[in-house]
Amino acid sequence: MSITQQKEEPPSACNDKICIGIALVGEDIRVAARADGREVAHGSFPASALGTAALLCYLTDWQAPLRLAVATAGAAALGLALAVGASHGREVFLVSAQTHSSASDLARYAEHAI
């Protein structure tokens, strides 16, 4: 599991909406986060029950409202979308993996989705 923060403040210091892209790629769950029009974090988790639990903890650490875009590439991706969207106040967009397949592209999609 690895997440790289690209800004100095911790996630809890963000007051605006955070846009997160999530893509299942092979044996990884890839994640990218955007705020204020730029990528602020990216990383990956194992595509397993433990990795999903770690991802859910990571998402909980953000103290701002979340908009999530999840690439739909099979039943596992749909299950992941349901899991990450379970918390109150989160918006989740299911996006065709054929259209947007990278976590960064998905985060940009969440940023611009209406």
Side-chain angles (χ1 to χ4, degrees), residues 19-40:
C19 297
I20 297 181
I22 301 172
L24 283 170
V25 180
E27 297 295 316
D28 292 327
I29 302 169
R30 300 224 176 123
V31 179
R34 293 180 63 83
D36 300 323
R38 64 187 176 91
E39 191 168 295
V40 294

Side-chain angles (χ1 to χ4, degrees), residues 1-2 9 32 41 49 53 65 73 77 91 104:
M1 290 178 271
S2 66
E9 308 101 60
E91 296 176 80
S104 294

Side-chain angles (χ1 to χ4, degrees), residues 50-97:
L50 182 59
T52 299
L55 171 62
L56 294 175
C57 287
Y58 171 73
L59 294 175
T60 301
D61 287 344
W62 292 95
Q63 298 297 312
L66 299 178
R67 296 181 90 189
L68 303 126
V70 180
T72 57
L78 292 174
L80 181 62
L82 290 171
V84 299
S87 293
H88 178 70
R90 290 185 184 168
E91 296 176 80
V92 178
F93 302 94
L94 300 176
V95 183
S96 169

